[in-house]
Amino acid sequence: MTSTTEQFADVSATTLLRFATAGSVDDGKSTLVGRLLHDSKSVLTDQLEAVEAVSQARGQDTPDLALLTDGLRAEREQGITIDVAYRYFATARRRFILADTPGHVQYTRNMVTGASTADLAVVLVDARNGVIEQTRRHAAVAALLRVPHVVLAVNKMDLVGYEESVFAKIAEEFTAYASDLGVPEITAIPISALAGDNVVEPSANMDWYGGPTVLEHLETVPVSHDLTACPARFPVQYVIRPQTAEHPDYRGYAGQIASGVLRVGEAVTVLPSGRTSVIEGIDALGESVDIAWAPQSVTVRLRDDIDISRGDLIAPSASAPATTQDVEATVCHVADQPLAVGARVLIKHTTRTVKAIVKEIPSRLTLDDLSQHPNPGQLVANDIGRVVVRTAEPLALDTYAASRRTGSFLLIDPADGTTLAAGMVGESFASTAETTIQADEEGWDF
């Protein structure tokens, strides 16, 4: 009989790496991305010819590889809604999805989008400038989003004479800072994206460096997507009731398994109601199966007729999460309008959206020295801080450390639907499942 480990071997062993790039303006991020695409032979002939033509028209002797990405960057600056540009390329060893995030300080919030699903973040630093506030901000976001691997790419080494001491000083400062933030693995690589040093090919100008090139590290860094090792979580997206002559009594709950494994015959709990049942059947791609795992999209059928709707969460009874109305979390504020104590918001968690009030903002992170500024009263764009949010209905939350998917949420402006903040549930929060909601006429006092 095939073991569970063998059954899911193809799920946990992957050749795909999702990574994000981040760097301040003029640190050479566009050139690095262009160099990676060009030297890994991931650029189409017509794209390269267009870059060469524009470069020649500007009087440049060599192609300006930054032009491979500058088009979308210019679109962002013109106000077009393209927050993160994605690039897809592959080598013989691995496939890649690259999230190219903007470099301007006012777009730091967009790194949250690019890094939220990343396995690795490449943070660029100009060797002439060293670690600056934007560098620290990018490191903080990577740590906040629990990106497991961070690459410090010290760029423009050619402009500092390829001096080892310059690289060593920057690497030491950044590594100490990122380690204090809790980044688990940091790899520092000296590069010149313009000249191609240590991007794809090893540099002859830095024989003192014996580590991997950027591409070599991307190809070999260990990555695990084994969502089946986590407790099962199934957010309901849609209730299916065809009510046809062929299926008069069919009732199924459709959605994507966020984590873990679901099995026919398993006892489950529906949250937030707390009602229990047993999985009677699982339908995947039009066929009945005995077992399903993340991130498959399936329809689950239960033995008992329970009132279930979009936003409910189905989880094994033995490992069901607690429910709470008091959510304590770290958030990255992404909107231009401030987030203040007392603000009425919507909180979107998986497929569930409920009303909420910001009860407290205990602290705001000061990036210079990682100190906490107590009780700031509000958070403005790009701020990272702790919040306590009171929800109108209980939510079934995991910690972000346990699950990126079910430990994260969005705060939304109920007036116009603007996303205000991206939140990561902290390691602890109060369970208030027994609390009775006392609502005012508008349903906001709870």
Side-chain angles (χ1 to χ4, degrees):
M1 182 177 179
T2 304
S3 68
T4 301
T5 302
E6 291 171 336
Q7 280 182 301
F8 304 134
D10 59 332
V11 177
S12 60
T14 180
T15 59
L16 173 67
L17 176 75
R18 297 175 181 269
F19 72 101
T21 59
S24 300
V25 178
D26 296 328
D27 276 356
K29 183 172 57 65
S30 294
T31 304
L32 173 61
V33 173
R35 175 64 65 182
L36 271 174
L37 296 173
H38 177 270
D39 289 9
S40 64
K41 296 179 172 55
S42 301
V43 181
L44 298 176
T45 301
D46 58 341
Q47 291 177 311
L48 185 58
E49 289 175 350
V51 168
E52 290 174 342
V54 173
S55 300
Q56 290 177 359
R58 292 179 176 179
Q60 296 170 301
D61 296 330
T62 58
D64 183 357
L65 299 180
L67 294 173
L68 290 170
T69 58
D70 272 353
L72 282 176
R73 185 176 65 187
E75 288 178 355
R76 294 194 195 100
E77 293 170 350
Q78 292 169 24
I80 298 176
T81 308
I82 303 177
D83 290 341
V84 180
Y86 290 92
R87 300 286 186 271
Y88 305 87
F89 69 102
T91 66
R93 305 177 73 175
R94 181 170 273 174
R95 293 177 295 117
F96 302 95
I97 298 178
L98 185 161
D100 180 20
T101 63
H104 294 77
V105 64
Q106 66 266 34
Y107 293 127
T108 303
R109 67 193 93 170
N110 297 343
M111 185 187 172
V112 174
T113 301
S116 61
T117 59
D119 307 298
L120 181 148
V122 178
V123 179
L124 263 76
V125 171
D126 188 325
R128 299 169 300 176
N129 301 327
V131 176
I132 59 175
E133 181 183 358
Q134 186 74 334
T135 311
R136 290 189 287 269
R137 192 180 298 275
H138 289 148
V141 171
L144 179 66
L145 294 172
R146 292 188 176 268
V147 178
H149 307 281
V150 171
V151 172
L152 171 67
V154 182
N155 192 26
K156 303 188 180 182
M157 287 297 295
D158 53 316
L159 300 183
V160 295
Y162 296 105
E163 287 292 333
E164 180 180 5
S165 59
V166 175
F167 167 74
K169 180 180 179 182
I170 295 172
E172 181 180 3
E173 180 182 355
F174 180 88
T175 300
Y177 182 85
S179 297
D180 288 343
L181 285 168
V183 176
E185 180 182 292
I186 305 152
T187 302
I189 304 175
I191 68 170
S192 170
L194 183 64
D197 292 288
N198 286 335
V199 178
V200 173
E201 300 295 335
S203 172
N205 298 307
M206 291 179 278
D207 53 6
W208 44 263
Y209 173 74
T213 65
V214 172
L215 183 61
E216 183 182 357
H217 184 70
L218 295 177
E219 288 181 324
T220 57
V221 65
V223 179
S224 174
H225 295 286
D226 189 8
L227 298 175
T228 64
C230 305
R233 301 288 185 261
F234 182 67
V236 175
Q237 292 182 344
Y238 187 70
V239 179
I240 299 177
R241 293 193 64 193
Q243 296 180 313
T244 62
E246 184 179 359
H247 303 286
D249 301 318
Y250 186 96
R251 180 191 290 265
Y253 309 102
Q256 183 183 52
I257 303 175
S259 61
V261 181
L262 295 177
R263 296 176 174 84
V264 172
E266 185 172 30
V268 294
T269 299
V270 180
L271 298 169
S273 70
R275 296 287 300 275
T276 59
S277 186
V278 174
I279 296 179
E280 187 174 65
I282 302 173
D283 300 325
L285 298 176
E287 296 183 359
S288 295
V289 296
D290 294 329
I291 189 169
W293 55 87
Q296 287 182 310
S297 294
V298 299
T299 300
V300 173
R301 292 176 281 117
L302 301 183
R303 180 177 298 171
D304 302 286
D305 189 7
I306 299 176
D307 182 14
I308 299 176
S309 59
R310 175 182 172 85
D312 287 345
L313 183 78
I314 298 175
S317 297
S319 58
T323 57
T324 183
Q325 285 176 256
D326 290 313
V327 182
E328 183 175 353
T330 298
V331 302
C332 179
H333 190 58
V334 301
D336 291 328
Q337 63 200 81
L339 180 71
V341 173
R344 298 178 176 186
V345 298
L346 298 176
I347 182 169
K348 179 174 173 56
H349 173 252
T350 63
T351 58
R352 189 175 186 82
T353 302
V354 302
K355 293 179 179 180
I357 292 177
V358 178
K359 302 295 288 186
E360 296 179 58
I361 303 179
S363 63
R364 183 184 69 236
L365 179 65
T366 302
L367 293 173
D368 288 338
D369 57 5
L370 299 182
S371 63
Q372 297 288 339
H373 177 75
N375 302 314
Q378 67 177 18
L379 299 177
V380 299
N382 296 315
D383 275 351
I384 296 172
R386 297 288 294 176
V387 301
V388 178
V389 178
R390 174 73 169 175
T391 63
E393 302 170 23
L395 295 177
L397 300 165
D398 291 296
T399 63
Y400 190 76
S403 170
R404 274 180 161 185
R405 175 83 181 275
T406 55
S408 61
F409 61 85
L410 296 177
L411 295 182
I412 298 171
D413 187 334
D416 59 12
T418 300
T419 298
L420 301 174
M424 282 61 67
V425 178
E427 297 294 336
S428 62
F429 50 87
S431 179
T432 56
E434 303 301 321
T435 302
T436 300
I437 302 172
Q438 301 293 329
D440 64 6
E441 293 181 358
E442 295 183 0
W444 288 98
D445 184 12
F446 34 81

